[in-house]
Amino acid sequence: MFGFLKKLLGAGSAPAAPAGNLGTDELCRRLGATEQQLRSVAIVYRSFEIPKRTGGTRMISAPADELKEMQRLILHRLMRRLSAHPAATGFERGYSIVSNALPHVGQEMVIKLDVENFFGSTTAARVENYFRAIGWNADAAALLTRLCTHQGALPQGAPASPRLSNLVNYRLDARLAALAQRRGLAYSRYADDITFSGPAAAHMAGRNTDIIHAVAQIVREYGYRLHTGKKLRIARTHDRQVVTGLVVNAKANLPRSRRRWLRAVAHHLQSGKPATLTPQQLAGWQALAAMIEAQRTAA
């Protein structure tokens, strides 16, 4: 176990890991496929843009059906039991936007940072290095990398990419968590959203820029860049502090304006008036609100 962790923590932007002893025969056994089947899967993607919630568009690369099924197989049979860092809350079983927001509830200062082109900057070389680090030999690691990456990086829109992005970035999260601990801060990451929170300006005076610079330097070592401008936010107690869409000033919850809107929609639907959501859409929002309350109460 300790040998595995040592390899894993050294697999960030370091040189290739030593050769593992798990080869293509073992890979075929675990995936229930022949080597010919694995090597003959066509690497075909359909790319399209979708609007971002905050404006602009996001490029999605969706794999063709055969490749998608193979990636799902790799996800469930090879990655399910592998450990991401506890601070990585996106795409992890048992974690949610609530898990990501809870460490920052009631903090006097919340610092939000955003990684630019997160999936596209998670390179195939790092993915292959990770597979080598967890025991696959060069041939098996190269085959897995071929099946899970596109144009030299993790494709956003592929089933395996979210989980792989967390596994590959274990050491990145460990370093950012250690930075937070040294500064007396809380840290969490949800995909490309990085959040630190902690004491008020009396304790942090003159150190915010210091922290942001330190984070930028660390992520740069793993091939990432931070967004600047509007994507970088520092919210104090008198500001509305929002983490992964939830207000965290006093407790993790949907913003007040969103809750009022949902009540108005529910009233309109009940009274037969025109509404901006269908009953099914409203039910989805109500399920989200119930999940937030349940997880907040449990925590």
Side-chain angles (χ1 to χ4, degrees):
M1 179 65 179
F2 292 107
F4 165 79
L5 287 176
K6 184 177 179 181
K7 285 182 180 180
L8 184 57
L9 290 176
S13 53
N21 56 9
L22 300 176
T24 52
D25 288 347
E26 178 62 14
L27 181 60
C28 293
R29 187 189 71 79
R30 294 191 188 188
L31 295 179
T34 67
E35 184 172 344
Q36 174 61 28
Q37 287 173 324
L38 294 183
R39 295 192 184 278
S40 64
V41 174
I43 309 302
V44 178
Y45 288 83
R46 181 174 64 90
S47 296
F48 55 93
E49 293 183 343
I50 60 171
K52 291 183 181 179
R53 181 176 55 84
T54 54
T57 59
R58 187 187 308 279
M59 179 61 70
I60 299 297
S61 296
D65 290 344
E66 182 188 24
L67 179 59
K68 182 188 294 184
E69 288 306 310
M70 182 57 68
Q71 289 174 349
R72 285 176 174 162
L73 203 61
I74 292 169
L75 175 64
H76 294 301
R77 296 193 179 181
L78 300 186
M79 299 183 200
R80 176 170 287 182
R81 296 185 182 181
L82 298 174
S83 297
H85 193 278
T89 58
F91 324 119
E92 292 296 317
R93 185 183 296 272
Y95 288 83
S96 68
I97 58 172
V98 184
S99 312
N100 189 64
L102 285 174
H104 311 292
V105 170
Q107 300 280 19
E108 294 173 323
M109 180 174 295
V110 175
I111 303 172
K112 291 180 60 182
L113 305 161
D114 186 87
V115 176
E116 193 175 300
N117 188 24
F118 177 65
F119 286 97
S121 298
T122 306
T123 65
R126 291 187 61 217
V127 171
E128 186 167 357
N129 195 46
Y130 173 78
F131 284 131
R132 295 290 301 278
I134 61 173
W136 296 103
N137 69 17
D139 194 30
L143 182 52
L144 283 167
T145 303
R146 174 183 177 272
L147 292 168
C148 294
T149 62
H150 180 53
Q151 296 180 340
L154 286 179
Q156 184 164 4
S161 292
R163 188 88 218 286
L164 259 177
S165 72
N166 285 341
L167 296 173
V168 167
N169 282 308
Y170 191 106
R171 189 171 185 240
L172 169 64
D173 287 317
R175 289 184 62 184
L176 292 176
L179 171 67
Q181 187 176 25
R182 290 195 301 271
R183 303 295 180 89
L185 304 174
Y187 161 70
S188 69
R189 181 179 63 81
Y190 195 100
D192 55 356
D193 290 329
I194 292 174
T195 308
F196 290 85
S197 64
H203 178 71
M204 300 290 293
R207 300 181 69 188
N208 293 332
T209 304
D210 218 23
I211 292 165
I212 294 166
H213 176 75
V215 173
Q217 186 172 2
I218 290 171
V219 302
R220 194 179 300 120
E221 293 180 29
Y222 296 87
Y224 300 119
R225 291 179 58 187
L226 294 180
H227 273 290
T228 55
K230 291 190 295 184
K231 294 282 188 174
L232 195 162
R233 298 179 187 136
I234 300 174
R236 295 171 175 81
T237 305
H238 59 274
D239 301 316
R240 192 177 73 155
Q241 299 170 331
V242 181
V243 178
T244 44
L246 303 181
V247 177
V248 296
N249 292 70
K251 62 181 180 180
N253 208 352
L254 289 171
R256 183 179 300 173
S257 59
R258 181 70 64 182
R259 301 197 308 270
R260 286 176 175 170
W261 171 66
L262 290 173
R263 286 196 296 269
V265 169
H267 176 71
H268 280 215
L269 289 174
Q270 289 169 1
S271 57
K273 297 178 182 178
T276 53
L277 294 178
T278 66
Q280 293 77 14
Q281 289 171 328
L282 176 63
W285 276 102
Q286 290 172 333
L288 173 63
M291 181 203 77
I292 293 168
E293 182 176 359
Q295 293 189 10
R296 182 181 65 225
T297 302

